[in-house]
Amino acid sequence: MTSPRSSLWLPALAVLGSVTSLCIGTSFAKKLFPLIGAEGTSALRVGFSALVLLLFWRPWRWPLSRRDAGFVIRYGLTLGVMNLLFYLALRTIPFGIAVAIEFSGPLAVAMIASRRAVDFVWLASAITGLVMLLPLGHNSTLDPTGVMLALGAAVCWALYILFGKQAGHLHAGQSVSLGLVAASLVVVPYGVAHAGASLLDPMILLAGLGVAIVSSAIPMSLEMMALKRLPSETFGIMVSLEPAVASLLAMLLLGEHLASGQWLAIGFIVLASVGSTVTARKARPQAVELAG
């Protein structure tokens, strides 16, 4: 008989594995930039991810109304633009910082939806972290264009959440696989136009397939398994660690060493994400009790 503690440890490890796999895949993807550029790398990742998940989920097994197709297309197009902007940002700013800036998107969605006083603490923490990262002073080492691209990815992530909720009633495998097909319609032509025939190199294609599996297929599968067994609060807290995990792995795999102030800024953003997750989940049972 499985104990309650072990039944939580396994899905928690799955979330950690998902975040780690995503960060490792993205770190290796960045090594392809000198060969096919950020555009070509993004095209391979999204294109192969769509193909793998199409074959795995076979979304045509479920009916899809015209209205739902519109939801999935908006969700997928936003996902595609988000991936492309994020990879373009990685050309000039460190991976961990790009992830931390991108996290401002879902944080903004959470803050806008809340009306509680405690959320102003998390908002202040997130703003503090962002201000510390943004190239506002003359001595900033961050490329302004890369930061703006990461902020654009943050906006897309916020929209992706909102559009994803519209398609939330669909089977997860159907919405994700068809969403990636829609995303590939944006990213693949753009990547092909920039990288050209170099994308047809067998070794490049093999590397792109590996990046797609490690940074998309494996994380999505682990997350779906964890979501069924893990409390939403715990899941949200562990996903919130992604900027820190990304920074650590980028340091080990890419040699991207951050200054102490940048680590502190990432810490403020992680604190905001964890804090908003904890207080949001604790507020829900109270609301149910009042309603009863």
Side-chain angles (χ1 to χ4, degrees), residues 165-215:
K165 288 181 179 179
Q166 293 179 335
H169 60 285
L170 301 175
H171 187 280
Q174 182 187 33
S175 58
V176 170
S177 57
L178 292 180
L180 275 168
V181 171
S184 66
L185 297 178
V186 176
V187 180
V188 173
Y190 190 80
V192 170
H194 282 76
S198 58
L199 289 176
L200 299 178
D201 183 294
M203 295 305 295
I204 294 292
L205 287 173
L206 185 62
L209 177 60
V211 166
I213 292 174
V214 176
S215 64

Side-chain angles (χ1 to χ4, degrees), residues 30 86 89-101 141-143 147 150 246-247 250 254 256-259 262 266:
K30 193 167 181 177
F86 183 74
L90 290 181
R91 295 178 303 180
T92 55
I93 64 176
F95 177 30
I97 291 179
V99 172
I101 294 174
T141 58
L142 290 182
D143 172 57
V147 171
S247 300
L254 298 172
E256 294 181 349
H257 296 274
L258 304 182
Q262 292 172 327
I266 290 173

Side-chain angles (χ1 to χ4, degrees), residues 39-59:
E39 301 90 346
T41 306
S42 182
L44 289 182
R45 178 199 174 183
V46 174
F48 275 127
S49 296
L51 182 60
V52 168
L53 290 179
L54 270 179
L55 294 175
F56 182 80
W57 287 112
R58 293 170 290 160

